[in-house]
Amino acid sequence: MAAYRLDDLAQYLDATLLGDGDYPIAGLATLQSAQSRQLSFLANPVYRKYLSQSRAGAVILRADVADEFPGNRLLLDNPYLGYARVSALFDCAPAVATGIHPSAQVAAGASVDASACIGAQAVVEDNVEIGANVQIGAGCYIGEDSVIGAGTRLYAGVSIYHGVSLGNGCIIHSGAVIGSDGFGIVPAGPEMPGWVKIHQLGGVEVGADVEIGANTTIDRGALDNTVISRGVKLDNQVHIAHNVRIGENTAVAGCVGIAGSTTIGANCTIAGAAGIIGHLYIADNVHITAMTLVTKSIREPGSYSSGTPLAATREWRRNAVRFGQLEKIATRLKRLEQQ
Amino acid sequence: MAAYRLDDLAQYLDATLLGDGDYPIAGLATLQSAQSRQLSFLANPVYRKYLSQSRAGAVILRADVADEFPGNRLLLDNPYLGYARVSALFDCAPAVATGIHPSAQVAAGASVDASACIGAQAVVEDNVEIGANVQIGAGCYIGEDSVIGAGTRLYAGVSIYHGVSLGNGCIIHSGAVIGSDGFGIVPAGPEMPGWVKIHQLGGVEVGADVEIGANTTIDRGALDNTVISRGVKLDNQVHIAHNVRIGENTAVAGCVGIAGSTTIGANCTIAGAAGIIGHLYIADNVHITAMTLVTKSIREPGSYSSGTPLAATREWRRNAVRFGQLEKIATRLKRLEQQ
Amino acid sequence: MAAYRLDDLAQYLDATLLGDGDYPIAGLATLQSAQSRQLSFLANPVYRKYLSQSRAGAVILRADVADEFPGNRLLLDNPYLGYARVSALFDCAPAVATGIHPSAQVAAGASVDASACIGAQAVVEDNVEIGANVQIGAGCYIGEDSVIGAGTRLYAGVSIYHGVSLGNGCIIHSGAVIGSDGFGIVPAGPEMPGWVKIHQLGGVEVGADVEIGANTTIDRGALDNTVISRGVKLDNQVHIAHNVRIGENTAVAGCVGIAGSTTIGANCTIAGAAGIIGHLYIADNVHITAMTLVTKSIREPGSYSSGTPLAATREWRRNAVRFGQLEKIATRLKRLEQQ
């Protein structure tokens, strides 16, 4: 891997360098594990205790703690952002695909940019459009009439149904499924058992710079499209039902489920394993804490929660029994007050 | 896409037509977005406000609101069911597969009906039986001795292990896994660390007309089979453990987990992200609300819940702390009452 | 399938045989369904009622209930463990793969042991090391520089990214994804919308004898590796975020999510649908009950819970409303006490 001079890194980060501008940096590491040719950073104060003893060749940190590290320092107001930006320089992951593999099955009617790469065993159906510098991983499937924007990368084993549009610069991880049928069923009738399927005639629109985690699923719309706006970040095993609309730059952590026709604003952060029921409206700048169930629309920015605190099971069980008596407890309290 | 005359649609739906029987309908849309050649419907009263201004070429609605739309109308007692039935006519999704793709690997000992289609890169192992008009999507895997019933469709990237039986007319979405090992482990012993695997010798039986969502998993049984009965509908990312039995026409929404050996009745509806622990019995016609944890058997039909309501995090936190004091609160209340 | 003599089974299990040592056993079944050539077992006392009428050819049971079954008996202190050990003898599942299928794409620079098998449509990238007796299922993907330890089996459709190491004797089920990017993003800045990606430069280390369920995802580390220790068992649809460390022999049931940088000890059992937030420490021998959210570190062994009990929705709703008034209820109670 190529090394970078500290002067060049300081310029790239717009950071103030204290130390040797010629010093070569060949990688990134935590304060605890960094070696002499590695750059580290201090962002979370929990790790400040490791700073003075770190063997890192240089550290990105804030000016107010700069005295605690004796070696080369890159001063930034936001070291965590600096670390993120430098991480791109040191990413040596192999390309998702290179060239068009002879085992890939690309329909004659697909339009594939000359710069795009398609991995082994991948399947691209008719009338698909694949943009410049796209990388389609091994074993991916791209259904008819779908569009993959320039620079987008699909890791191995992604399934894209027909009529799905992905913007430019997206990253889609393995096992993600985009465009599967929404869960649309209607009882067959009062005198007939079972369900009648609502055929899902809409598609999915994914904006630019969206990242979609491993084994996340996004259903196609019933009539209109399901919409994931520019800059949205979805972690692993997220479930997005039909006709959900997610606003720009909203981030959704792992195992979240969002039910049908709910609209979520921009710049929201949904923590892991939260659930949002269908047909709701969530405003911009809303934060939902982990494993919260959202059962009503949220019209004001802020943080929202549900659930109960962690406890030893024996203690929890006693309190949980009392939860089932709360209505009676409130009634008894009122009676006492009235006396 | 072919167009349908309104007269023909009225006959198909057994609806009363008010308007021009020759009027051509070429698609379906919501009231808000419908154009002149599109049919719409009013089912959810929330959307009634869009009715009078809709540009739809015709609307399916109930007789009691028919006066609110000036154009062509199809009168039905259950417009939502009507919409579902019509959606099948306007579904122009491409076939999952056509013919047997030359890149598919079909074992010599597999029995594939002449009318079945197998997509690119799919793998069909020995002694598999594939019925009439089955469509196996690209990259699917069908393990030994499995049976795929007539008319069943597997979208791209479905994994079926050995010894799995799928009924007729099923729809299986991408990334679903059927027949993986149940989670059977036993502590190796008091003096030995670790676990001994219980090999999973059963299979999976899936009845006719079952739909299984994207990335849903159904484990094979330990000794007997896991059983998904006729007409069951499973949404995305549902987890069905070994030896679960689900009765006819039960519908399970996204992200639900059902632990081992639990039996669920017919015509139940399990809302999203609910969990059901193992070795329980759930009666017919039970409804479980979203993110509820079912920890005991349910022998009476009805709706069941657990959890706490959504609140602003600051307010929630104060109440959550008090949850941890409920046993003490109840004791203090009792003491006051005794005074 | 081969049959075993009861004498041989008794010796294999170190069990005391009461009955005919020459009796042939050809399979395993529950007490209720066992036929004359099948072996059964009694472990859970719930099933004791089926013992006396069972038609099993032999039963594994404890000496204290041996009198209740008239036929051949294998006496063991731990019949459930005995059943687990015997289940391996009667497992006749087909091999995941046999030989190297001509449709598999194996890079010239990959090192594949002569005894390893690679299924149809699988893809093995450059510089991969595949050990002795490994079975790679159909359609699996193994990224560059990854290592698959001896005897490990990957069922069809597993995705392993680059730089992942799997120990010996692991079992990985279909749809599992190992090595996808951790969910690392940083706000671009106070004046700029959106997120900057933290490139994930670490890998994943999986120890020996680990089982990973269908559609489970394990993210690669940000800088250091994500670590799954020897003997860990992960059920289906588990989500393990970047830099999680799980200690030896910990078992994690379906649908659990573990957020980034959390360390979990050895011999823990995490029940289904539990969630553990990031940057926590969980001691050895901790049990977490189903659907519990762990929001703080746990330093003492024992069982931990959160949530509320199941109830009929109508009753639950009344109590849930009172949950939202708990702070006020506690204040009112205090006021009464002060009077």
Side-chain angles (χ1 to χ4, degrees):
Chain A
M1 182 185 300
Y4 292 84
R5 295 172 61 252
L6 271 180
D7 259 349
D8 294 338
L9 291 176
Q11 188 177 357
Y12 170 75
L13 290 173
D14 200 10
T16 302
L17 170 65
L18 303 182
D20 175 7
D22 286 327
Y23 194 91
I25 293 292
L28 267 172
T30 61
L31 287 171
Q32 304 98 294
S33 66
Q35 301 298 315
S36 63
R37 291 295 165 93
Q38 291 180 308
L39 175 65
S40 192
F41 66 99
L42 175 64
N44 186 332
V46 165
Y47 300 107
R48 188 169 168 183
K49 60 188 172 193
Y50 299 116
L51 180 59
S52 63
Q53 301 298 319
S54 177
R55 291 188 289 173
V59 175
I60 306 173
L61 36 53
R62 290 173 56 99
D64 56 2
V65 292
D67 288 350
E68 299 180 22
F69 184 70
N72 299 307
R73 286 151 289 174
L74 291 166
L75 305 186
L76 274 180
D77 286 345
N78 189 342
Y80 199 50
L81 179 58
Y83 152 55
R85 296 190 59 221
V86 167
S87 73
L89 302 180
F90 292 105
D91 191 353
C92 55
V96 168
T98 49
I100 296 186
H101 196 278
S103 66
Q105 303 293 331
V106 180
S111 160
V112 179
D113 188 274
S115 61
C117 298
I118 299 181
Q121 320 285 18
V123 176
V124 176
E125 297 281 18
D126 211 25
N127 206 30
V128 165
E129 284 179 47
I130 294 185
N133 300 308
V134 165
Q135 297 176 25
I136 305 285
C140 286
Y141 175 80
I142 317 288
E144 274 186 45
D145 305 322
S146 285
V147 177
I148 313 294
T152 285
R153 263 182 293 162
L154 277 63
Y155 283 89
V158 168
S159 296
I160 308 284
Y161 280 56
H162 59 281
V164 169
S165 154
L166 301 184
N168 295 348
C170 293
I171 301 172
I172 318 293
H173 285 282
S174 291
V177 176
I178 307 180
S180 40
D181 278 354
F183 196 57
I185 53 177
V186 184
E191 76 291 343
M192 283 178 56
W195 303 92
V196 173
K197 180 177 175 72
I198 300 174
H199 291 251
Q200 304 290 303
L201 312 180
V204 180
E205 287 172 63
V206 175
D209 298 322
V210 169
E211 184 158 355
I212 296 175
N215 285 349
T216 280
T217 55
I218 303 175
D219 278 349
R220 65 191 316 108
L223 291 170
D224 298 328
N225 292 335
T226 303
V227 178
I228 311 295
S229 302
R230 166 190 289 271
V232 165
K233 308 297 178 186
L234 305 179
D235 195 358
N236 296 351
Q237 299 196 41
V238 171
H239 163 56
I240 308 286
H242 51 179
N243 297 106
V244 165
R245 301 178 72 93
I246 302 185
E248 292 193 0
N249 299 317
T250 282
V252 180
C255 305
V256 166
I258 304 176
S261 296
T262 280
T263 295
I264 297 179
N267 304 310
C268 294
T269 48
I270 319 287
I276 305 182
I277 72 165
H279 297 274
L280 301 185
Y281 167 84
I282 311 290
D284 295 349
N285 297 301
V286 164
H287 176 67
I288 306 293
T289 61
M291 213 184 270
T292 288
L293 178 65
V294 179
T295 52
K296 54 187 178 190
S297 290
I298 297 177
R299 299 185 183 277
E300 295 299 321
S303 178
Y304 295 83
S305 301
S306 74
T308 78
L310 182 75
T313 300
R314 180 178 301 198
E315 179 193 346
W316 166 80
R317 193 176 286 127
R318 283 194 293 254
N319 291 317
V321 166
R322 297 301 186 182
F323 175 89
Q325 305 167 343
L326 272 180
E327 174 68 11
K328 287 178 190 159
I329 286 174
T331 306
R332 287 160 55 195
L333 180 60
K334 192 165 188 192
R335 200 180 306 139
L336 274 185
E337 287 172 331
Q338 288 168 339
Q339 287 175 2
Chain B
M1 184 185 300
Y4 292 84
R5 295 173 61 250
L6 271 181
D7 259 350
D8 295 339
L9 290 176
Q11 189 175 356
Y12 170 75
L13 290 173
D14 201 10
T16 302
L17 170 64
L18 303 181
D20 175 7
D22 287 326
Y23 194 91
I25 293 292
L28 268 173
T30 61
L31 287 171
Q32 304 98 293
S33 66
Q35 301 298 315
S36 62
R37 293 295 165 94
Q38 291 180 308
L39 176 65
S40 191
F41 66 99
L42 175 64
N44 186 333
V46 166
Y47 300 106
R48 187 169 169 182
K49 60 188 173 195
Y50 300 117
L51 181 58
S52 63
Q53 301 297 320
S54 178
R55 291 187 290 173
V59 174
I60 307 173
L61 36 53
R62 290 172 56 98
D64 56 2
V65 292
D67 289 349
E68 301 180 22
F69 184 70
N72 298 308
R73 285 150 289 173
L74 291 165
L75 305 186
L76 274 179
D77 287 345
N78 188 342
Y80 199 51
L81 179 57
Y83 152 55
R85 295 190 61 222
V86 167
S87 73
L89 302 180
F90 292 105
D91 190 354
C92 56
V96 168
T98 49
I100 296 186
H101 195 277
S103 66
Q105 304 292 331
V106 181
S111 160
V112 179
D113 188 274
S115 61
C117 298
I118 300 181
Q121 320 286 17
V123 176
V124 176
E125 298 280 19
D126 211 24
N127 207 31
V128 165
E129 284 179 46
I130 294 186
N133 300 309
V134 164
Q135 297 176 26
I136 305 285
C140 286
Y141 175 81
I142 318 288
E144 274 186 45
D145 304 322
S146 286
V147 178
I148 313 293
T152 285
R153 263 182 292 162
L154 278 62
Y155 284 89
V158 168
S159 296
I160 309 285
Y161 280 56
H162 58 283
V164 169
S165 154
L166 302 184
N168 295 348
C170 294
I171 301 173
I172 318 292
H173 285 283
S174 292
V177 176
I178 307 179
S180 40
D181 280 353
F183 196 57
I185 52 177
V186 184
E191 75 292 343
M192 283 179 55
W195 302 93
V196 173
K197 179 177 176 72
I198 301 175
H199 291 251
Q200 303 291 301
L201 311 181
V204 180
E205 287 172 62
V206 175
D209 298 323
V210 168
E211 184 158 355
I212 296 176
N215 285 349
T216 280
T217 55
I218 304 175
D219 279 348
R220 67 193 313 109
L223 292 170
D224 297 329
N225 292 336
T226 303
V227 178
I228 311 295
S229 301
R230 167 190 289 270
V232 165
K233 309 296 178 187
L234 305 178
D235 195 0
N236 296 351
Q237 299 196 38
V238 171
H239 163 56
I240 309 287
H242 51 179
N243 297 107
V244 165
R245 301 178 71 93
I246 303 185
E248 291 193 1
N249 299 318
T250 282
V252 180
C255 306
V256 166
I258 304 176
S261 296
T262 280
T263 295
I264 298 179
N267 304 310
C268 294
T269 48
I270 318 286
I276 305 181
I277 73 164
H279 297 273
L280 300 185
Y281 167 82
I282 311 289
D284 295 349
N285 297 302
V286 164
H287 175 67
I288 306 292
T289 61
M291 213 184 269
T292 288
L293 179 66
V294 179
T295 51
K296 54 187 179 191
S297 290
I298 297 177
R299 298 184 183 279
E300 296 299 323
S303 177
Y304 295 84
S305 302
S306 72
T308 78
L310 183 74
T313 300
R314 182 178 301 198
E315 179 193 346
W316 166 80
R317 194 175 286 126
R318 283 194 293 256
N319 291 317
V321 166
R322 297 302 187 183
F323 175 90
Q325 305 167 344
L326 271 180
E327 174 67 10
K328 288 179 189 159
I329 286 174
T331 306
R332 287 160 54 196
L333 180 60
K334 193 166 187 191
R335 201 181 304 139
L336 274 185
E337 287 172 330
Q338 289 168 338
Q339 287 176 2
Chain C
M1 183 185 301
Y4 293 84
R5 296 172 61 251
L6 271 180
D7 259 350
D8 294 338
L9 291 176
Q11 189 177 356
Y12 170 75
L13 290 173
D14 200 10
T16 303
L17 170 65
L18 303 182
D20 175 5
D22 286 327
Y23 194 90
I25 292 293
L28 267 173
T30 60
L31 287 170
Q32 305 97 294
S33 66
Q35 301 299 314
S36 63
R37 291 295 164 93
Q38 290 179 308
L39 175 65
S40 192
F41 66 98
L42 175 64
N44 187 333
V46 166
Y47 299 106
R48 188 168 167 182
K49 59 188 173 195
Y50 299 116
L51 181 58
S52 63
Q53 301 297 321
S54 178
R55 292 187 289 171
V59 174
I60 307 173
L61 36 53
R62 291 172 56 97
D64 56 2
V65 292
D67 288 349
E68 300 179 23
F69 184 70
N72 298 307
R73 285 151 289 175
L74 290 165
L75 305 186
L76 273 179
D77 287 345
N78 188 342
Y80 199 50
L81 178 58
Y83 152 55
R85 295 190 60 221
V86 167
S87 73
L89 301 180
F90 293 104
D91 190 355
C92 56
V96 169
T98 50
I100 296 186
H101 196 278
S103 66
Q105 303 293 330
V106 180
S111 161
V112 180
D113 189 273
S115 61
C117 298
I118 300 180
Q121 320 287 16
V123 176
V124 176
E125 297 280 19
D126 210 25
N127 206 31
V128 165
E129 284 180 45
I130 295 185
N133 300 308
V134 164
Q135 296 176 25
I136 305 284
C140 286
Y141 175 80
I142 318 288
E144 274 186 43
D145 305 321
S146 286
V147 177
I148 313 294
T152 285
R153 262 182 294 161
L154 277 62
Y155 283 89
V158 169
S159 296
I160 308 283
Y161 280 56
H162 59 282
V164 169
S165 155
L166 301 184
N168 295 348
C170 294
I171 301 173
I172 318 291
H173 285 283
S174 292
V177 176
I178 307 180
S180 40
D181 279 353
F183 196 56
I185 52 177
V186 185
E191 75 291 345
M192 283 178 56
W195 302 93
V196 173
K197 180 177 176 71
I198 301 175
H199 291 252
Q200 303 290 302
L201 312 181
V204 180
E205 286 172 64
V206 175
D209 298 323
V210 168
E211 185 157 354
I212 296 175
N215 284 349
T216 280
T217 54
I218 304 176
D219 279 347
R220 65 192 315 108
L223 292 170
D224 297 329
N225 292 335
T226 303
V227 178
I228 312 295
S229 302
R230 165 189 290 269
V232 165
K233 309 296 179 187
L234 305 179
D235 195 358
N236 295 351
Q237 299 196 40
V238 171
H239 163 57
I240 308 286
H242 50 179
N243 297 106
V244 165
R245 301 177 72 92
I246 303 185
E248 292 192 1
N249 300 317
T250 282
V252 181
C255 305
V256 166
I258 304 177
S261 298
T262 280
T263 295
I264 298 178
N267 304 310
C268 294
T269 48
I270 318 286
I276 305 182
I277 72 164
H279 297 273
L280 300 185
Y281 168 84
I282 311 290
D284 295 348
N285 297 302
V286 164
H287 175 66
I288 306 293
T289 61
M291 212 184 270
T292 288
L293 178 66
V294 179
T295 51
K296 55 188 178 190
S297 290
I298 298 177
R299 298 185 183 278
E300 295 299 321
S303 177
Y304 295 84
S305 300
S306 73
T308 77
L310 183 74
T313 300
R314 181 178 301 197
E315 179 192 346
W316 166 80
R317 195 176 285 127
R318 284 195 292 256
N319 292 316
V321 166
R322 297 302 187 182
F323 175 89
Q325 304 166 344
L326 271 180
E327 173 68 10
K328 287 177 190 158
I329 286 174
T331 305
R332 286 160 55 195
L333 180 60
K334 193 166 187 191
R335 201 180 304 139
L336 274 185
E337 287 172 329
Q338 288 168 339
Q339 288 176 3

